[in-house]
């Protein structure tokens, strides 16, 4: 196994691994461990080049630092990628080699499943390292992150309603959910229980129909969901849904959902503010899953502790809205400021400054 350290400004440790025996070609990036060990998933993707893989792992690991800092998980930010096709190139040898690679960080990086990897792959990684989460429940795991992500979104939407309407009462509030998958379906149930009226869209029509039947919601064409008149638009499918083309089509007061990278570019956050739309920054509102995993990393996993911490997404968002108002900036800029402030506090605490 050949390991090569890549110097990258602003990152603590970036290492490239080539292992001809197993065919592993992977990169681990530890962006920042000021607040704790760097946790972030292992993505498997057929990147066209090493440069593409490195670009992605750098971007994703930095995102994890900010997400964990605002969510107060006691974790830092990292990520790893394997270059390969997850449909055809998986195997025990490959994931065991990845486990050895992860282990070489001696706990500074903790891995988890991500796009292209699954629980069974993590079991093979576990054969070589203890620095892995997202294992089967009977191996002490914190389980499926989706209900926790949905719960965090629910409490995030509560904060948004309070900010926009001076009341966090869900009764009669209309919420349009784009994507009725793992997170969307749990979120729809929570919102329905709280009294919200739902509009549901999925490119798989049976999924939207089944969830609408269960929650008394209305099915909306996926091509129309972004433009429906509603109090809350909850993107739970794709990224980049707020862009130059979609901005004028939005008819909501709030955007708050689980999807990653909701804004095509950071500047779209300011455009939402100018349009009078309150935006819950994606990495703040969708942190329920990582918060739940952080409870697993701390020690014996307890769902109740996780629930309390996930509910704090409400508090984190209220703080983000406060900063945005004080500094007259967009909410996405405000969450970046909050993350940087927490990192600064962490640095000061460790250096005694
Ligand atoms: P999922 O794949 O289970 O569900 C996504 C759903 O969206 C699917 O049902 C799919 O058919 C539907 N969909 C795809 N394109 C669509 C479109 N154009 N219009 C309407 N529906 C469409 O994924 P998930 O785990 O529910 O995650 C949803 C989003 O939240 C993703 O962006 C994911 O990255 C993000 N996220 C998920 C978690 C988690 O814990 N699962 C955590 C953080 C962020």
């Amino acid at each position: 196994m050949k390991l090569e350290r890549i110097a990258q400004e602003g990152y603590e440790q970036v290492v490239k691994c080539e292992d001809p025996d197993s065919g592993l070609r992977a990169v681990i990036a530890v962006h920042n461990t000021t607040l704790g060990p760097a946790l972030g998933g292992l993505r498997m993707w057929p990147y066209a080049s090493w440069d593409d893989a490195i670009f992605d792992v750098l971007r994703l690991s930095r995102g994890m630092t900010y997400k964990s800092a605002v969510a107060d998980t006691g974790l830092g930010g990292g990520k790893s990628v394997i270059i390969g096709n997850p449909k055809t190139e998986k195997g025990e040898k490959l994931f065991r080699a990845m486990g050895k690679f992860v282990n070489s960080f001696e706990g500074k990086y903790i891995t988890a499943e991500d796009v292209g990897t699954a629980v069974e792959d993590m079991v093979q990684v576990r054969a070589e390292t203890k620095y892995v989460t997202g294992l089967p429940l009977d191996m002490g795991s914190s389980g499926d992150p989706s209900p926790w992500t949905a719960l965090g979104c629910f409490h995030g939407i509560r904060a948004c309603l309070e900010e926009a309407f001076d009341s966090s009462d869900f009764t009669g509030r209309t919420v349009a959910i784009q994507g009725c998958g793992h997170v969307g379906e749990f979120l729809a149930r929570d919102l329905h229980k709280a009294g919200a009226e739902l509009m549901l869209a999925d490119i798989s029509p049976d999924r939207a129909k089944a969830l609408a039947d269960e929650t008394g919601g209305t099915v909306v064409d996926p091509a129309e969901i972004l433009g429906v008149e509603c109090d809350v638009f909850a993107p739970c499918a794709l990224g980049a849904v707020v862009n130059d083309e979609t901005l004028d089509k939005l008819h909501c007061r709030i955007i708050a959902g689980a999807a990653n990278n909701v804004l095509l570019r950071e500047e779209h956050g300011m455009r939402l503010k100018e349009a009078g739309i309150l935006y819950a920054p994606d990495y703040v509102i969708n942190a329920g899953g990582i918060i739940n995993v952080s409870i697993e990393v701390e020690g014996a996993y307890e769902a109740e502790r996780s629930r309390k911490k996930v509910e704090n997404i409400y508090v984190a968002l209220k703080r983000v809205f406060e900063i945005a108002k004080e500094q007259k900036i967009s909410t996405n800029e405000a969450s970046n400021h909050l993350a940087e402030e927490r990192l600064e506090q962490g640095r000061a605490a460790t250096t005694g400054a």
Side-chain angles (χ1 to χ4, degrees), residues 145-146 149 178-179 181-183 201-203 207 222 236-238 258-260 286:
S146 309
T149 304
Q178 180 187 46
H182 289 104
V183 180
D202 200 293
I203 47 168
R207 233 174 251 180
C236 294
L238 315 161
N260 283 312
N286 75 14

Side-chain angles (χ1 to χ4, degrees), residues 37-42 80 95 98-100 102-103 106-114 117-136 139-142 293 296-298:
L39 190 140
L42 165 59
S80 56
F95 284 106
M98 187 67 204
K100 286 184 188 146
V102 169
N103 208 47
E106 297 175 334
K108 196 171 175 184
Y109 169 66
I110 303 169
T111 199
E113 64 177 290
D114 196 75
T117 59
V119 174
E120 57 270 23
D121 306 324
M122 293 305 121
V123 173
Q124 288 161 0
V125 171
R126 179 69 181 88
E128 302 291 345
T129 184
K130 62 178 178 179
Y131 302 115
V132 52
T133 61
L135 295 161
M139 290 176 82
S141 160
S142 52
V293 165
E296 175 185 342
V297 172
E298 275 175 17

Side-chain angles (χ1 to χ4, degrees), residues 53-291:
I54 292 168
F55 178 82
D56 211 26
V57 81
L58 293 179
R59 176 181 73 87
L60 294 166
S61 61
R62 185 172 180 276
M64 290 307 296
T65 298
Y66 278 60
K67 184 170 188 162
S68 260
V70 172
D72 197 18
T73 58
L75 295 168
K79 200 89 182 180
S80 56
V81 294
I82 293 179
I83 302 177
N85 186 334
K87 293 203 177 98
T88 55
E89 294 178 64
K90 281 189 178 181
E92 184 174 353
K93 230 174 161 184
L94 185 86
F95 284 106
R96 288 192 72 145
M98 187 67 204
K100 286 184 188 146
F101 183 28
V102 169
N103 208 47
S104 71
F105 279 71
E106 297 175 334
K108 196 171 175 184
Y109 169 66
I110 303 169
T111 199
E113 64 177 290
D114 196 75
V115 175
T117 59
V119 174
E120 57 270 23
D121 306 324
M122 293 305 121
V123 173
Q124 288 161 0
V125 171
R126 179 69 181 88
E128 302 291 345
T129 184
K130 62 178 178 179
Y131 302 115
V132 52
T133 61
L135 295 161
L137 282 173
D138 59 7
M139 290 176 82
S141 160
S142 52
D144 178 8
S146 309
W148 298 101
T149 304
L151 184 70
C153 285
F154 175 80
H155 289 290
I157 294 175
R158 195 160 62 83
C160 292
L161 291 180
E162 210 166 275
E163 181 68 20
F165 301 115
D166 284 330
S167 160
S168 57
D169 189 355
F170 282 87
T171 317
R173 289 283 168 214
T174 49
V175 184
I177 302 183
Q178 180 187 46
C180 306
H182 289 104
V183 180
E185 73 166 325
F186 285 107
L187 177 61
R189 289 187 191 121
D190 288 344
L191 290 168
H192 169 60
K193 262 190 247 151
E197 286 171 22
L198 305 177
M199 287 172 267
L200 303 161
D202 200 293
I203 47 168
S204 161
D206 293 351
R207 233 174 251 180
K209 165 93 173 60
L211 197 57
D213 288 348
E214 186 189 329
T215 59
T218 313
V219 175
V220 175
D221 189 316
E224 309 287 326
I225 191 78
L226 198 126
V228 292
E229 202 159 329
C230 58
D231 293 317
V232 184
F233 171 61
C236 294
L238 315 161
V241 288
V242 177
N243 57 51
D244 292 342
E245 277 75 52
T246 58
L247 261 161
D248 290 341
K249 297 187 183 132
L250 295 163
H251 285 101
C252 55
R253 175 70 183 86
I254 293 164
I255 297 183
N260 283 312
N261 307 317
V262 167
L263 308 177
L264 178 64
R265 292 191 304 277
E266 286 284 304
E267 76 198 44
H268 289 118
M270 186 47 91
R271 304 265 299 276
L272 286 176
K273 179 176 154 65
E274 287 161 1
I277 297 174
L278 179 67
Y279 171 60
D282 43 15
Y283 69 78
V284 183
I285 193 166
N286 75 14
I290 184 93
I291 291 172

